[in-house]
Amino acid sequence: MSMRGQEARRQAVGHIDGDTKSQRQSRKEIRDRLRQPVQLERRSWTNSELPTVTRGAKHGPKAAQPESGGFRSTLRIKPPSHRLTSEEVAAFWPYLTGQPWPAIGPAMGIDLETEQLWCFDPWEAYNRDLIPSTGVLIMGGYRKGKSWFLKRFIVLLVLFGRQAIKTSDSKGEHVRVAHAVGGTVIQVGVPGSRLRINALDGGHRPRGWNADQWADAVRTRRSLVLQQIVTILNSGLRAMTSHERNVLDVALTNVVTATGDRPTIRLVWLELAAIARGEILDEEMGDMREAGRELWSTLRRLTVGNLSGMFEDESTVEFDVDSPYTVFDTEAMAIRGEDALAIAQAVTQAWVMSVLSDKKSGRKFVVAREEGWRDMNSVTALEAQRAQQKLAGELGIVQLLVVHEGGDFDAVGPAGSKERELAQQLAKGFAVKISFAQEIGQLAASAASVGLTREQSDLIADLEIGECVVAIGSTSIVLNTTELTTDWERTYFDTSGSMRDIPATDSTATESEEIHA
């Protein structure tokens, strides 16, 4: 019985007296009163009247006095005041979510945790200290949505005023996308074409660079791309020796001097022939004939062999820095083999970087490389990629690399090799890692190679097609990348149209420019 009920009983019993009849009447009244429910006082509360916990309370809440309508406690307790963070009391707030990503740039997808649009512009995110650098790595299993997302990522940034370059489109998927946004398509390797891209072009000196600074940068870039080409032509079976590198540099320096800084691979090849015949001597270098003969034989495929007619002479096309989206269409090179595609990617990348070296131009470029595993076949190629990754921040560009799965980096070279070390450094150098669904058996190796956490790996394991995990450090954002797509995007980004008898889009009437024969 409640305290108030006990008090009512005592008051009622106190009135019982007199004869038996009056006692019976009193008992009846008592029973009737006890059967009635106890009516508690109703009152409205203000903030100042609410019960509070203080150190001075001897019997529970200070406000728990009869006049306050509160409740007494028979225990003498003195609970201390507490201050907790939202993380510590998360169990009491089951609907807490992370802080929404700010609305910077185009909407790339829907955050499945906050159900908000996830907007992303790498430059804006970097300026707001949301990411440590602008490098973006996209990875995922076959037909999980990464190619679709790549096209959407590029087009949306272009529509927001950025520019993009696809250094090698070996499947021809980006050609009509470039046409649709008024971009430029440069077809490389078309049989009979007179188009040439000089891998040794110097480019334009950036404003603020003196002649010596620019000469050193150009010499380094030319030397690296020549070494990369030689390694590819050797099928990556052996690395160049130090002596071969020095001989190649001698030939390059002689050509630069003789042509007034307008070298080509063909002229370097002819200079190597002269070295192999012993017509060019250098006391410090010693005998260069054997190395010259080996290098001459290697580069022969690129000048008069099955890979000629693309990169050995002076450029016949200029890079249009005003084009919103420039695509190097290398689909026709597929018939020449993987070596041709790997060389095309290395040459176009070096050529583009020579054009983009003016960091004061104010232009913002996304430089996308798909089938990234083609650029990881040698120490030279990996060193070139690492150099470009570091240079990207200085030039204000976004380096975007697409690989099948993160485990591709662990497939480079034998364990403990220089190639493996460089590949892992390259993978972990990307600040933003966007992962689509992957094979469960390869997920652990993939996560370890690119530096994903256990929680991020678990999220990737549960992804559906078209969903991805955006990993920025230990932060994870799960996106749906397909809900926002339009009919236009489904038309131009589809990679399975031929399987469903979807007619090809006629893009010849667009304002884009196509450069070929």
Side-chain angles (χ1 to χ4, degrees), residues 191-202:
S193 171
R194 293 192 297 270
L195 183 143
R196 300 290 184 273
I197 295 177
N198 183 9
L200 305 181
D201 268 344

Side-chain angles (χ1 to χ4, degrees), residues 48 63 192 206 300 325 347 352 367 395 453 457 473 485 490 498 511 516:
S48 60
R300 187 178 185 278
Y325 188 22
V347 170
V352 164
V367 182
L395 298 181
T453 65
S457 298
T485 54
R490 282 186 282 273
S498 58
E511 297 179 356
H516 46 83

Side-chain angles (χ1 to χ4, degrees), residues 209-504:
W209 287 41
N210 60 42
D212 291 337
Q213 288 176 315
W214 180 236
D216 288 342
V218 171
R219 180 169 54 251
T220 300
R221 185 172 64 248
R222 286 169 172 168
S223 179
L224 284 175
V225 73
L226 278 175
Q227 293 176 30
Q228 192 171 350
I229 289 172
V230 169
T231 303
I232 293 171
L233 292 174
N234 284 328
S235 301
L237 297 178
R238 71 175 186 89
M240 292 181 64
T241 65
S242 298
H243 188 56
E244 287 175 334
R245 290 193 183 95
N246 291 331
V247 171
L248 190 60
D249 285 340
V250 168
L252 175 61
T253 301
N254 291 346
V255 171
V256 169
T257 303
T259 61
D261 200 25
R262 297 182 62 183
T264 65
I265 289 179
R266 184 182 297 278
L267 294 177
V268 171
W269 177 66
L270 293 175
E271 188 73 8
L272 289 169
I275 292 176
R277 292 192 298 267
E279 298 174 5
I280 299 175
L281 304 176
D282 189 314
E283 294 182 359
E284 294 181 354
M285 289 290 297
D287 190 353
M288 299 186 295
R289 290 176 297 176
E290 183 61 32
R293 188 178 299 109
E294 185 68 30
L295 291 169
W296 175 87
S297 178
T298 300
L299 289 176
R300 187 178 185 278
R301 289 181 62 195
L302 207 61
T303 53
V304 297
N306 66 316
L307 300 181
S308 62
M310 296 180 290
F311 310 116
E312 71 274 24
D313 295 315
E314 291 190 9
S315 296
T316 61
V317 60
E318 291 186 0
F319 183 86
D320 182 6
V321 294
D322 295 320
S323 174
Y325 188 22
T326 301
V327 172
F328 290 87
D329 180 11
T330 57
E331 186 178 15
M333 298 185 65
I335 60 175
R336 304 193 188 208
E338 286 295 330
D339 287 350
L341 289 171
I343 290 174
Q345 188 134 308
V347 170
T348 55
Q349 182 75 8
W351 193 61
V352 164
M353 294 302 292
S354 71
V355 175
L356 301 181
S357 55
D358 188 359
K359 61 183 178 181
K360 296 183 179 180
S361 66
R363 300 179 184 276
K364 304 299 183 184
F365 281 93
V366 176
V367 182
R369 307 171 76 162
E370 205 166 1
E371 307 292 344
W373 53 270
R374 285 197 178 100
D375 293 340
M376 297 187 289
N377 55 4
S378 67
V379 170
T380 304
L382 289 163
E383 287 176 340
Q385 284 203 68
R386 280 289 288 160
Q388 292 162 5
Q389 188 178 58
K390 295 176 181 178
L391 190 62
E394 182 179 349
L395 298 181
I397 65 176
V398 169
Q399 186 185 32
L400 193 156
L401 180 66
V402 182
V403 296
H404 289 135
E405 290 165 335
D408 285 354
F409 295 99
D410 282 336
V412 177
S417 65
K418 182 68 173 178
E419 292 93 330
R420 179 73 62 84
E421 178 184 353
L422 287 171
Q424 292 174 344
Q425 291 176 1
L426 178 68
K428 294 177 181 178
F430 289 96
V432 182
K433 303 176 180 71
I434 302 175
S435 179
F436 288 80
Q438 301 183 31
E439 295 294 334
I440 298 299
Q442 300 180 1
L443 184 54
S446 174
S449 65
V450 301
L452 297 178
T453 65
R454 175 65 180 272
E455 291 75 13
Q456 290 164 347
S457 298
D458 293 341
L459 291 174
I460 294 171
D462 293 333
L463 293 177
E464 302 290 340
I465 294 177
E467 296 178 348
C468 66
V469 172
V470 181
I472 304 173
S474 59
T475 301
S476 305
I477 303 169
V478 182
L479 295 184
N480 182 305
T481 65
T482 60
E483 288 296 323
L484 300 178
T485 54
T486 64
D487 291 339
W488 185 92
E489 291 173 318
R490 282 186 282 273
T491 298
Y492 282 92
F493 302 166
D494 185 41
T495 58
S496 305
S498 58
M499 299 293 292
R500 296 192 294 271
D501 296 326
I502 297 177

Side-chain angles (χ1 to χ4, degrees), residues 125-143:
Y126 177 77
N127 291 334
R128 298 194 186 193
D129 295 326
L130 297 173
I131 56 177
S133 65
T134 57
V136 178
L137 174 67
I138 299 177
M139 54 187 178
Y142 181 65
R143 306 200 67 79

